[in-house]
Amino acid sequence: MFEIGEETLSKIAYLFVFLVGLIGAALTGVGAYLYLQTVEIGTCVNDELAPLMIVLVAIGGVLLITAVLGLCGVCKKKSVLIYGFLAAMIIVLLAQFAAVVIMFIFESSVHYYMHDGMTHSLLFYGKGGDNAKFTESLDYVQETHSCCGHHGWEDYTTPNASNWFSTKFGSLPDSCCKTMKANCGANTIDKKAPKTVPKGMNLEGCYGVVEDYVQRWLTIAGSGALVFMFVQVIAIFLNISLHRRYREHEDYQLQSKKVKGVKDAQAEAPKPAV
């Protein structure tokens, strides 16, 4: 039966463990980017995404450390280091699979969190104090994604945006302007004909835009993680084989030392008098 030599197997295992390290770096980077994005749009998705991104960053960081352990094990040919790598990899793989499942579940129900989050953000838009986070999140979404309101700019002409409607009716938020500048949204609505389309403003609602954005990134992150898991499984099987060979080699060396020790002891023992 064909069997790969130990040296060749070591090189292949080293390559796949190195790829695991790159995967860890990728998950950490993507998770950190998405975390920053979810913090900015926090209330618009009901603050549900940030914890999931933290888990993604943590998994990536652990993978990086695990890869270093595996590389040291392959280079030093130590079965105990390979064993530690395998144990950590299996735990991380299970956690990663759970995170991917949660990610796809969230993707399928993101509309629920979006509806609730956008409704509250619009309701409290413009208020200060503890409610300022709603204004900050919606402003970021409207400016970044070139949209306005929940379903459209008309939301600000109805009691749906109760605080804004009662205090600044006749104007739109500056973050709805196509060209952002101070007070660009002031008096853009005709109070006598509030349904007249304002000029120089983004008209499309943010709900659909942000929902597509969140779902797209969740799909990319989830699909990428599944591909990464395939590479990790290969790395696990390669290192299982390598661990077995290193362990056999270490056992052989240990047994050889014991035999040598017995022979040396016999050679040093005083010979009986004739």
Side-chain angles (χ1 to χ4, degrees):
M1 188 176 70
F2 176 75
E3 188 173 355
I4 301 175
E6 184 177 305
E7 193 64 30
T8 303
L9 182 61
S10 297
K11 290 179 180 179
I12 297 173
Y14 185 94
L15 173 63
F16 273 89
V17 173
F18 183 75
L19 287 176
V20 168
L22 293 181
I23 288 169
L27 287 177
T28 302
V30 171
Y33 171 77
L34 293 179
Y35 173 75
L36 294 175
Q37 291 295 304
T38 55
V39 167
E40 294 288 356
I41 66 174
T43 60
C44 292
V45 290
N46 215 21
D47 292 316
E48 296 290 337
L49 267 176
L52 186 57
M53 296 306 109
I54 292 174
V55 171
L56 201 61
V57 172
I59 290 174
V62 173
L63 270 180
L64 271 173
I65 297 171
T66 303
V68 172
L69 182 65
L71 291 174
C72 290
V74 175
C75 291
K76 293 181 177 295
K77 297 186 177 182
K78 295 291 186 182
S79 64
V80 65
L81 294 178
I82 297 293
Y83 183 81
F85 168 79
L86 289 171
M89 277 294 293
I90 292 171
I91 294 171
V92 171
L93 200 62
L94 292 174
Q96 196 172 329
F97 179 76
V100 169
V101 170
I102 293 171
M103 209 174 290
F104 282 120
I105 291 174
F106 188 93
E107 181 194 359
S108 64
S109 57
V110 68
H111 61 279
Y112 168 76
Y113 299 105
M114 281 286 301
H115 178 75
D116 192 45
M118 290 290 291
T119 299
H120 281 84
S121 294
L122 189 65
L123 188 65
F124 295 108
Y125 184 83
K127 285 189 175 183
D130 294 337
N131 293 313
K133 61 181 182 179
F134 293 101
T135 303
E136 293 168 0
S137 290
L138 194 49
D139 272 340
Y140 177 82
V141 167
Q142 291 178 155
E143 185 177 354
T144 304
H145 297 281
S146 300
C147 55
C148 188
H150 186 168
H151 299 292
W153 65 274
E154 292 176 314
D155 284 334
Y156 289 103
T157 66
T158 69
N160 289 335
S162 60
N163 179 67
W164 186 269
F165 181 78
S166 62
T167 58
K168 296 185 179 181
F169 178 68
S171 298
L172 288 175
D174 291 344
S175 55
C176 285
C177 297
K178 290 183 177 179
T179 303
M180 179 74 173
K181 58 182 179 180
N183 299 317
C184 61
N187 302 314
T188 50
I189 303 295
D190 185 348
K191 293 182 179 180
K192 294 182 180 179
K195 298 301 180 182
T196 302
V197 178
K199 296 180 180 180
M201 310 299 290
N202 294 311
L203 306 177
E204 184 182 3
C206 295
Y207 179 86
V209 176
V210 177
E211 183 182 26
D212 289 343
Y213 174 79
V214 171
Q215 286 181 328
R216 182 170 65 252
W217 270 106
L218 285 175
T219 300
I220 291 172
S223 301
L226 285 176
V227 174
F228 292 162
M229 287 169 67
F230 177 72
V231 176
Q232 291 165 238
V233 168
I234 295 176
I236 287 174
F237 279 107
L238 286 170
N239 280 276
I240 287 174
S241 179
L242 201 59
H243 174 268
R244 178 179 58 80
R245 297 194 187 189
Y246 285 170
R247 186 61 184 267
E248 288 174 354
H249 184 64
E250 289 168 357
D251 289 344
Y252 175 77
Q253 287 184 324
L254 183 60
Q255 190 64 31
S256 297
K257 286 181 180 179
K258 288 181 178 179
V259 172
K260 186 177 180 299
V262 171
K263 289 182 177 179
D264 290 343
Q266 289 175 345
E268 292 175 0
K271 294 180 180 180
V274 178

Coordinates of all heavy atoms in Angstrom, one line a residue, residues 24-25 33 52 101 109 123 171 175 198:
G24 N -6.9 31.9 10.4 CA -7.1 32.6 11.7 C -6.9 34.2 11.5 O -7.7 34.9 12.1
A25 N -5.9 34.6 10.8 CA -5.7 36.0 10.5 C -6.9 36.6 9.7 O -7.3 37.7 10.0 CB -4.4 36.2 9.8
Y33 N -13.5 44.0 11.2 CA -14.1 44.9 10.3 C -15.6 44.9 10.5 O -16.3 46.0 10.6 CB -13.8 44.6 8.9 CG -14.6 45.4 7.9 CD1 -14.3 46.7 7.6 CD2 -15.6 44.8 7.2 CE1 -15.0 47.4 6.7 CE2 -16.4 45.5 6.3 CZ -16.1 46.8 6.0 OH -16.8 47.6 5.1
L52 N -21.8 38.4 17.9 CA -21.5 37.3 16.9 C -20.1 37.6 16.3 O -19.3 36.7 16.1 CB -22.5 37.2 15.9 CG -22.4 36.0 14.8 CD1 -22.3 34.7 15.6 CD2 -23.5 36.0 13.8
V101 N -23.5 28.2 11.9 CA -24.9 27.9 12.0 C -25.7 29.1 12.5 O -26.7 29.4 11.9 CB -25.1 26.6 12.9 CG1 -26.6 26.4 13.2 CG2 -24.6 25.4 12.3
S109 N -33.2 35.5 9.5 CA -34.2 36.3 10.3 C -33.7 37.7 10.5 O -34.3 38.4 11.4 CB -34.3 35.6 11.6 OG -33.1 35.5 12.3
L123 N -38.1 56.2 15.6 CA -39.0 56.8 16.6 C -38.3 57.7 17.5 O -38.8 58.8 17.9 CB -39.6 55.6 17.4 CG -40.7 56.0 18.4 CD1 -41.9 56.4 17.7 CD2 -41.0 54.7 19.3
S171 N -38.3 69.7 7.7 CA -36.9 69.5 7.4 C -36.6 68.0 7.3 O -37.4 67.2 7.8 CB -36.0 70.2 8.4 OG -36.2 71.6 8.4
S175 N -28.1 64.1 7.2 CA -27.5 62.8 6.7 C -28.3 62.2 5.5 O -27.8 61.3 4.9 CB -27.4 61.8 7.8 OG -28.7 61.6 8.4
P198 N -38.6 66.2 -2.3 CA -37.6 67.3 -2.1 C -36.4 67.1 -3.0 O -36.1 66.0 -3.5 CB -37.2 67.0 -0.6 CG -37.4 65.6 -0.4 CD -38.6 65.2 -1.2

